[in-house]
Amino acid sequence: MELSKVHLRGDKSIFANIAFGHFATNHSHINYYVDLTEIKTSQHAARKAASILAGRYQTTMVETILCLEGTEMLGAFMAEELSQSSLIGINQGQDIHVLTPELNSNNQMIFRENTQHMVKGKSVALFLSSISTGMSVNRALDCLSYYNGRLAGICAGFSAVGDVNGIAVNAVFTQRDIPDYRTYLPENCEICPGTPKIDAIVNNYGFSAL
């Protein structure tokens, strides 16, 4: 599969790899695979990307960052940026927890007793790798509600949507960077009639070519 780079506007050192084709996720078909491996694993890129997102939460209380889909490094750098004493903001000097939920045998997100206090009654920012339909966000919101956490915001490496249930999504890369990006329910996929073959099964960990 041939990948090309999409660079962040204003900073060419931050990029995502993309491929055009016919791809299947767990719950949708998409015409672009967006690979965010670089900003999730590179210290340099992750720090810069997290700094961009942190700047959008200077006036929002963030006590915990809930990291999904391999965004722990991004979440840690975002927490560091928000709490920097050199920045003037509501989170200045705060100790911010960075947490990843456990998945039980039913694939449900849970927190054990030793971590529940980091969510219960706390102002929690969700951090996902990518958002195409918002289904993963809704799953995380259900978990947050169950443990009585308060949503502080939604962050992502890439998001094809501007909001989920009316809640704004702050993303490093958006559909503005990939204007032809499309997502479809499998039964309504507009790519399938002309190109029935699926190029790859994709998720936030990578792709498996078919």
Side-chain angles (χ1 to χ4, degrees):
M1 187 165 61
E2 184 177 350
L3 297 171
S4 59
K5 287 184 172 60
V6 171
H7 294 272
L8 184 68
R9 301 181 186 198
D11 191 337
K12 299 297 183 182
S13 69
I14 302 177
F15 63 88
N17 288 308
I18 65 171
F20 179 75
H22 187 191
F23 307 104
T25 73
N26 288 337
H27 43 71
S28 66
H29 285 194
I30 53 178
N31 66 338
Y32 274 96
Y33 165 60
V34 183
D35 177 21
L36 298 165
T37 301
E38 187 68 15
I39 68 169
K40 291 197 294 185
T41 61
S42 163
Q43 176 191 5
H44 176 78
R47 185 185 292 275
K48 282 193 170 185
S51 177
I52 291 169
L53 294 176
R56 300 169 189 175
Y57 292 94
Q58 292 302 316
T59 59
T60 302
M61 174 64 72
V62 177
E63 296 173 286
T64 297
I65 300 176
L66 187 57
C67 296
L68 309 173
E69 305 169 346
T71 59
E72 287 83 359
M73 187 188 294
L74 285 159
F77 280 131
M78 182 174 167
E80 181 182 58
E81 188 75 17
L82 285 171
S83 64
Q84 285 292 331
S85 59
S86 60
L87 297 178
I88 299 175
I90 196 170
N91 300 291
Q92 181 179 355
Q94 297 298 315
D95 183 20
I96 300 172
H97 288 100
V98 179
L99 189 61
T100 300
E102 178 184 348
L103 296 180
N104 66 14
S105 57
N106 295 320
N107 207 34
Q108 296 170 314
M109 296 180 186
I110 63 171
F111 295 103
R112 302 288 180 175
E113 283 78 0
N114 57 307
T115 57
Q116 289 178 10
H117 70 279
M118 302 176 192
V119 177
K120 185 176 181 179
K122 302 297 183 182
S123 185
V124 181
L126 299 181
F127 208 136
L128 294 90
S129 176
S130 63
I131 301 172
S132 56
T133 64
M135 290 182 67
S136 295
V137 176
N138 284 325
R139 183 180 173 215
L141 290 175
D142 287 343
C143 173
L144 188 62
S145 176
Y146 180 82
Y147 288 98
N148 297 314
R150 303 191 308 272
L151 181 67
I154 303 171
C155 307
F158 166 74
S159 181
V161 298
D163 68 271
V164 177
N165 300 332
I167 305 164
V169 175
N170 289 307
V172 181
F173 295 97
T174 68
Q175 195 161 13
R176 185 181 69 168
D177 301 295
I178 313 172
D180 297 327
Y181 184 97
R182 298 290 184 271
T183 179
Y184 308 96
L185 292 173
E187 61 270 24
N188 297 323
C189 179
E190 295 181 8
I191 312 171
C192 285
T195 313
K197 180 181 179 296
I198 298 292
D199 294 310
I201 304 296
V202 301
N203 61 22
N204 289 293
Y205 295 98
F207 66 91
S208 297
L210 299 177

